[in-house]
């Protein structure tokens, strides 16, 4: 960790740029001083819709006070929009506005079904604008339209689920232990902070903002500087859906200033962060100093286990999807592929052939399977990690380079890559690469693969491929991971809790208890005897 207070959200635990002297959590995006920015510059393809130079501070759309952030289309390398980012003063305004909104808007006093009605309307607005959201996220992150459309629809479902959970949430009357009634109740925290990653903005936004609002809080969201636009669009949709002013602020800006100020602000009652483990540790230190609750969804180096009795075609499809979808830019990517030795050679041959056949191209092309990475800097960092692995003895079976196609020359592309020839202890098997790179390793038996799978500081996810349900159950229980898939991979439900073990995080998101995680528990005792306490002898 070279810059502990850089709170730029990122889902990579090792920034490939750290060696060049930038922050260990990733370099700051391209910025220019606000007082010298040529904001009248025009681009060949024109500005992208929904990219006005405004941030959302306590219910007001204003120009940020920070440096100008240039947003680059990863598929072309073209700057498509510019935005004045937020600064620490904007955090003060957003938190103060959120506290006023909690106190005076009536949001916390609304009955659960009344708050739920607003959440339903936000979900409906997201779904109605799914194509608009998808197009914006594709140009901002490079992801395929198929993926960004799915993320938008997932976000809509998250708001609807949290609305339903809120409407049906029950308080508890606990068993009587004396002449009193006892109640366990829950109350809002006030203003909470949500720091989201660049690899799935709209879905991550919804998983934090929806339950926090449902709980009765105001939310200050800090989207990633590399991909701020979808979160800002979400704020517009929430505003149009009738969310009272001040309950949501969106502050794009550098983590080392905006994220740090947000976490340290005395008016923030909780931080929920998705990103790199190093940044998560820095936030945990701040939370400890404040005695503030925190939820951290951090990095991973997830194992995918292919037993010899697996349906190899099904396993192959799952392994390909697990590591190469999203261009490998996923905390749950199945980047360590363990294959039982009896089928190792056959499976590796099939994996290489299928990987080589994957279609690499822009996210706007419906045929694309592997889109560009989020930025050229990140792509170059992934390439550097592969080069390091080769120098350490790894063999590149396919990929391991940028595409030779001239049509892709200006984009942040990297070919899907399969490596072998290194042990599980190798750096490439232990550090999160956050790119389309799989390392295939052999194993002997169940005990061997569990030991190798658990030999990592991470514990986020795991995939298991086998026709033996007893073995699947044993392996799933033995592997240290917050989520385990059996004969499938990267399938999610907002109704099912999501969490990480070890360096992959603390706390839980999603599920019915996702709302409770943004509330303080209170116990109330109500006397029913009508008698004075006997201690005073009255």
């Amino acid at each position: 960790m070279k810059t502990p207070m850089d709170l730029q959200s990122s889902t990579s635990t090792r920034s490939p740029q750290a060696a060049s002297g930038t922050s260990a959590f990733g370099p700051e995006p391209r910025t220019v001083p606000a007082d010298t920015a040529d904001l009248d510059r025009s681009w060949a393809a024109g500005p992208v819709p929904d990219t006005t130079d405004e941030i959302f501070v306590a219910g007001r759309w204003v120009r940020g006070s920070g440096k100008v952030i240039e947003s680059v289309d990863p598929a072309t390398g073209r700057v498509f929009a510019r935005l004045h980012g937020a600064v620490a003063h904007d955090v003060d305004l957003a938190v103060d506005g959120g506290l006023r909104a909690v106190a005076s808007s009536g949001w916390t006093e609304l009955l659960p079904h009344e708050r739920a009605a607003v959440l339903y309307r936000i979900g409906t607005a997201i779904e109605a604008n799914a194509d608009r959201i998808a197009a914006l996220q594709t140009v901002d992150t490079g992801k395929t339209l198929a993926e960004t459309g799915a993320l938008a629809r997932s976000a809509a479902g998250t708001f609807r689920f949290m609305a339903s959970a809120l409407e049906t949430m029950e308080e508890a009357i606990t068993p009587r232990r004396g002449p009193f009634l006892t109640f366990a109740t829950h109350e809002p925290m006030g203003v909470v902070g949500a720091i989201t990653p660049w690899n799935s903005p709209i879905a991550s936004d919804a998983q934090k903002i929806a339950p926090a609002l449902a709980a009765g809080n105001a939310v200050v969201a800090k989207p990633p500087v590399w991909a701020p636009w979808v979160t800002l669009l979400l704020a517009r949709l929430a505003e149009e859906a009738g969310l009272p002013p001040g309950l949501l602020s969106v502050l794009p800006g550098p983590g080392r200033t905006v994220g740090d100020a947000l976490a340290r602000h005395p008016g923030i009652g909780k931080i929920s962060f998705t990103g790199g483990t190093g940044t998560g540790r820095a936030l945990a230190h701040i939370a400890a100093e404040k005695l503030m609750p925190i939820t951290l969804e951090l990095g991973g180096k997830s194992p995918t286990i292919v037993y010899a009795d697996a349906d190899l075609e099904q396993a192959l499809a799952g392994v390909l999807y697990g590591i190469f979808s999203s261009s490998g830019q996923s905390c749950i990517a199945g980047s360590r592929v363990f294959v039982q030795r009896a089928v190792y050679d056959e499976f590796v041959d099939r994996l290489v052939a299928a990987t080589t056949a994957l279609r690499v191209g822009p996210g706007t092309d419906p045929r694309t399977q592997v889109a560009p990475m989020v930025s050229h800097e990140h792509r170059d960092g992934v390439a550097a990690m592969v080069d390091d692995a080769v120098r350490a003895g790894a063999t590149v079976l396919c990929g391991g380079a940028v595409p030779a196609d001239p049509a892709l020359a200006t984009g942040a592309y990297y070919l899907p890559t399969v490596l072998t020839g290194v042990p599980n202890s190798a750096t490439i098997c232990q550090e999160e690469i956050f790119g389309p790179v799989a390392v295939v390793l052999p194993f002997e038996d169940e005990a061997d693969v569990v030991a190798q799978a658990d030999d990592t500081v991470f514990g986020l996810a795991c995939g298991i491929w086998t026709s033996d349900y007893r073995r699947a159950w044993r392996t799933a229980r033995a592997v240290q991971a917050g989520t385990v898939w059996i004969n499938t991979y990267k399938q999610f439900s907002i109704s099912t809790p999501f969490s990480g073990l070890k360096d992959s995080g603390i706390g839980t998101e999603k599920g019915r208890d996702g709302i409770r995680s943004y509330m303080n528990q209170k116990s109330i005792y109500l006397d029913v005897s009508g008698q004075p306490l006997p201690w005073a002898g009255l």
Side-chain angles (χ1 to χ4, degrees):
M1 183 185 302
K2 298 195 176 179
T3 310
M5 289 302 100
D6 176 14
L7 301 180
Q8 165 60 32
S9 57
S10 162
T11 41
S12 176
T13 51
R14 174 201 186 215
S15 170
Q17 292 75 32
S20 63
T22 58
S23 162
F25 305 121
E28 293 298 337
R30 179 168 23 187
T31 61
V32 294
D35 57 356
T36 61
D38 176 15
L39 297 179
D40 293 328
R41 172 185 174 187
S42 61
W43 301 285
V48 172
D50 297 313
T51 56
T52 58
D53 184 17
E54 293 176 313
I55 62 176
F56 194 50
V57 184
R60 296 178 60 240
W61 291 97
V62 298
R63 175 176 286 187
S65 304
K67 292 182 178 180
V68 173
I69 302 162
E70 289 189 335
S71 294
V72 178
D73 181 350
T76 64
R78 178 180 69 88
V79 175
F80 67 85
R82 301 169 98 184
L83 172 74
H84 280 82
V87 295
H89 179 62
D90 296 315
V91 173
D92 293 336
L93 295 175
V95 176
D96 291 347
L99 290 170
R100 288 194 301 272
V102 168
S104 62
S105 70
W107 181 250
T108 59
E109 286 75 34
L110 290 177
L111 294 173
H113 71 276
E114 294 172 328
R115 282 204 303 274
V118 178
L119 300 181
Y120 279 120
R121 291 200 296 270
I122 296 174
T124 299
I126 294 172
E127 188 168 55
N129 289 274
D131 290 344
R132 176 182 172 191
I133 293 168
L136 182 59
Q137 189 170 349
T138 289
V139 75
D140 205 10
T141 65
K143 290 176 175 289
T144 66
L145 284 171
E147 181 178 354
T148 55
L151 289 171
R153 292 187 293 274
S154 171
T158 294
F159 271 90
R160 286 195 296 265
F161 176 85
M162 291 302 171
S164 299
L166 175 61
E167 283 204 75
T168 57
M169 186 173 292
E170 297 176 349
E171 300 285 9
I173 300 178
T174 56
R176 290 181 60 186
R177 302 286 290 180
F180 41 77
L181 292 177
T182 49
F183 303 85
T185 64
H186 295 79
E187 298 178 349
M189 292 177 170
V191 183
V192 300
I195 304 177
T196 55
W198 49 259
N199 62 317
S200 55
I202 190 69
S204 294
D205 294 337
Q207 287 174 19
K208 299 180 190 302
I209 293 172
L213 291 175
N217 300 291
V219 184
V220 180
K222 196 206 88 64
V225 190
W226 276 349
W229 297 108
V230 167
T231 312
L232 290 165
L233 177 53
L234 173 60
R236 292 190 183 277
L237 297 177
E239 185 181 34
E240 293 169 3
L243 185 69
L247 289 177
L248 178 61
S249 294
V250 178
L251 307 181
R256 62 172 56 93
T257 54
V258 178
D260 184 81
L262 182 61
R264 294 183 185 278
H265 198 289
I268 290 293
K270 174 180 175 169
I271 288 288
S272 179
F273 170 78
T274 298
T277 298
T279 310
R281 282 201 179 94
L283 284 166
H285 281 290
I286 295 172
E289 291 171 0
K290 292 177 61 179
L291 295 180
M292 172 183 70
I294 190 167
T295 296
L296 301 173
E297 195 264 281
L298 307 176
K301 196 67 182 175
S302 300
T304 300
I305 299 167
V306 181
Y307 282 105
D309 67 345
D311 180 326
L312 294 189
E313 183 176 357
Q314 184 186 26
L316 177 63
V319 168
L320 290 166
Y321 181 65
I323 180 57
F324 297 129
S325 63
S326 304
S327 301
Q329 299 171 126
S330 171
C331 55
I332 55 169
S335 54
R336 292 185 299 153
V337 182
F338 293 97
V339 182
Q340 197 159 20
R341 197 172 294 277
V343 294
Y344 179 85
D345 290 339
E346 176 187 355
F347 189 83
V348 169
D349 288 345
R350 295 176 66 171
L351 177 61
V352 170
T355 301
T356 304
L358 292 173
R359 294 185 293 275
V360 178
T364 52
D365 186 336
R367 300 169 299 174
T368 292
Q369 293 168 293
V370 181
M373 308 195 74
V374 71
S375 74
H376 292 75
E377 295 90 344
H378 184 60
R379 187 273 311 276
D380 293 345
V382 169
M385 291 187 72
V386 172
D387 293 343
D388 288 346
V390 171
R391 284 190 288 270
T395 299
V396 178
L397 298 185
C398 64
V402 299
D405 186 351
L408 306 179
T410 61
Y413 295 95
Y414 195 74
L415 292 173
T417 300
V418 176
L419 303 177
T420 59
V422 292
N424 187 53
S425 59
T427 299
I428 197 71
C429 298
Q430 293 295 317
E431 293 190 3
E432 185 177 42
I433 191 168
F434 223 68
V437 180
V439 183
V440 189
L441 305 104
F443 72 91
E444 299 296 337
D445 53 27
E446 190 175 323
D448 178 32
V449 75
V450 169
Q452 290 195 71
D454 285 344
D455 185 17
T456 173
V457 298
F458 298 109
L460 193 58
C462 173
I464 301 168
W465 304 88
T466 178
S467 61
D468 185 336
Y469 73 90
R470 295 182 179 89
R471 177 188 289 130
W473 180 257
R474 290 193 304 267
T475 306
R477 296 303 302 270
V479 170
Q480 297 172 349
T483 297
V484 178
W485 292 283
I486 299 173
N487 293 329
T488 189
Y489 205 87
K490 286 180 75 172
Q491 303 301 304
F492 283 110
S493 168
I494 186 59
S495 64
T496 304
F498 182 77
S499 60
L501 307 179
K502 301 191 287 187
D503 282 9
S504 289
I506 57 176
T508 300
E509 292 191 311
K510 306 199 307 185
R512 292 182 60 87
D513 289 337
I515 298 173
R516 293 280 196 238
S517 71
Y518 290 95
M519 305 182 84
N520 293 319
Q521 191 272 329
K522 177 183 288 185
S523 297
I524 299 176
Y525 289 72
L526 174 64
D527 176 75
V528 294
S529 71
Q531 301 298 315
L533 293 171
W535 181 84
L538 300 179

